[in-house]
Amino acid sequence: MSKPLRISVSAADTFVDCPRKWWYSYVDRLERKASQALIVGNAVHDKAEKYLKGELTVEDCEDRWWHILEPGLVFLPDSHSLEEGMPGWTVENWLTGTCGPLPFSGKVDFWRFHEGWLRVCDWKTTGDSSWRWSKTPSQLAELLQPLVYTHSLVRDHLNGEVPKRIDFQHINLGTKGRPKAMTVWAEDVAWQAVLDKATVMESLAEDMAHTAATHEGADEVTPNMAACRKFGGCEWAEQCSASPMNRNKHIPFQSLGLFDKTNTETSKNMSNLTDIYAKLGLQKQEAPQPVSSPEQRANDVTIPGR
């Protein structure tokens, strides 16, 4: 591979969802077509980053991305302003290190550690104004991403100091219809939950490294066909032989090499086909005999003594 295999939270989530999908995305690294939701999400995140760093201009507050972001600003955990952003907070922080046998990377939207209190916050964009996909507080407290990021922050940025209190926040932003926002907090998350998810992440890294080392290609990796239609359908459905669009295709005998133009090859292949039927416990049906006319049936009758 041109680049070393790495693990991230998104890679781990994909591996759990479908190992073959993970192979296409993170081993083969097939080129992805950016969805409209991803384009909008990235644009809003960029706007939020500039805001939190105090880098916005008046012109920056006149486009669509600002109008999506603005309702969520009331949920920011500390005082803030257009000119100053949020002093004391670390914004768009890349995390790097190792996880089991693989290099690890991830990015926290914004976080702060003050007097033993760690807060890890994340922007989430959605086109569903009902907030159907937003996490509940209990779900957020068990989510892989903030727990793994917390472990990395403590190890690499806080010199191993375990926080006295850990809070996670999602600020959900609606991207369609009238702009609106909603926040979810998971408060006072247990440190043991962080350690447990770090162990899970290391185990996934070992499984991913083993899969990459023992398989030659995506077709050798076991797929999870229950995930084929999730999130609007797998982006690699066209390449995957297990996807609904491919596993339901009719494959003609000719493409299997069962028939040839020459009589010799045809007889050989027909014999092979008979063997296949036998192995499967099937009986090849004979062609139906033509129905004779009444006159022919009369002629076929044998009369005794004649």
Side-chain angles (χ1 to χ4, degrees):
M1 295 179 291
S2 59
K3 296 181 181 179
L5 185 65
R6 305 179 68 86
I7 186 171
S8 63
V9 172
S10 60
D13 285 339
T14 303
F15 186 80
V16 171
D17 201 35
C18 177
R20 186 178 289 186
K21 180 180 180 180
W22 164 82
W23 184 285
Y24 284 128
S25 302
Y26 296 96
V27 179
D28 286 344
R29 293 187 177 90
L30 300 183
E31 185 177 357
R32 284 176 166 156
K33 180 180 179 181
S35 65
Q36 186 61 29
L38 180 61
I39 294 172
V40 172
N42 288 340
V44 175
H45 271 76
D46 290 344
K47 187 72 66 174
E49 178 181 358
K50 292 183 69 175
Y51 175 81
L52 295 178
K53 290 181 176 180
E55 298 174 354
L56 284 182
T57 64
V58 175
E59 290 75 17
D60 288 325
C61 301
E62 296 178 352
D63 59 17
R64 174 190 177 190
W65 318 126
W66 170 258
H67 292 302
I68 292 174
L69 173 66
E70 191 174 20
L73 301 182
V74 300
F75 298 119
L76 290 173
D78 283 352
S79 60
H80 51 279
S81 68
L82 186 63
E83 296 80 16
E84 297 181 0
M86 291 176 60
W89 287 76
T90 303
V91 179
E92 296 295 325
N93 184 194
W94 275 102
L95 307 175
T96 57
T98 58
C99 180
L102 299 177
F104 165 78
S105 64
K107 185 162 64 171
V108 183
D109 285 351
F110 56 107
W111 66 276
R112 188 184 189 193
F113 182 67
H114 180 65
E115 297 181 351
W117 183 13
L118 176 64
R119 287 174 284 179
V120 180
C121 307
D122 196 8
W123 303 101
K124 295 294 181 183
T125 54
T126 177
D128 190 332
S129 59
S130 69
W131 311 121
R132 179 170 46 142
W133 305 113
S134 65
K135 303 299 181 184
T136 64
S138 59
Q139 289 173 333
L140 182 54
E142 299 176 354
L143 196 63
L144 185 65
Q145 184 183 50
L147 288 164
V148 169
Y149 285 179
T150 296
H151 187 267
S152 180
L153 287 170
V154 169
R155 182 188 62 190
D156 300 328
H157 293 266
L158 305 182
N159 298 318
E161 181 181 350
V162 176
K164 298 176 183 177
R165 172 170 172 160
I166 303 170
D167 291 350
F168 300 148
Q169 183 191 27
H170 277 181
I171 302 179
N172 298 283
L173 306 171
T175 61
K176 295 182 179 179
R178 184 177 180 180
K180 64 177 183 176
M182 185 266 288
T183 190
V184 177
W185 279 98
E187 299 180 319
D188 205 11
V189 178
W191 174 246
Q192 187 60 48
V194 176
L195 297 178
D196 290 345
K197 276 298 189 287
T199 300
V200 170
M201 192 74 167
E202 289 175 359
S203 178
L204 288 172
E206 292 173 357
D207 290 344
M208 291 161 64
H210 180 265
T211 300
T214 57
H215 295 72
E216 294 294 332
D219 285 342
E220 295 184 5
V221 180
T222 302
N224 174 21
M225 290 182 285
C228 289
R229 301 185 188 277
K230 289 179 66 175
F231 309 115
C234 178
E235 58 191 322
W236 311 128
E238 186 174 347
Q239 291 88 346
C240 181
S241 58
S243 71
M245 69 163 51
N246 289 325
R247 66 174 180 257
N248 293 332
K249 284 182 178 178
H250 170 68
I251 303 176
F253 282 130
Q254 286 85 347
S255 67
L256 298 176
L258 294 175
F259 295 99
D260 193 271
K261 292 182 179 179
T262 64
N263 291 333
T264 302
E265 287 297 320
T266 299
S267 300
K268 179 180 178 181
N269 287 323
M270 289 300 292
S271 176
N272 290 339
L273 187 58
T274 302
D275 292 339
I276 292 173
Y277 272 97
K279 289 178 181 179
L280 294 175
L282 302 174
Q283 185 174 1
K284 188 178 176 184
Q285 293 183 350
E286 299 294 337
Q289 297 297 322
V291 179
S292 58
S293 65
E295 292 80 6
Q296 289 174 321
R297 290 199 297 271
N299 294 332
D300 290 339
V301 175
T302 302
I303 301 175
R306 288 194 179 182

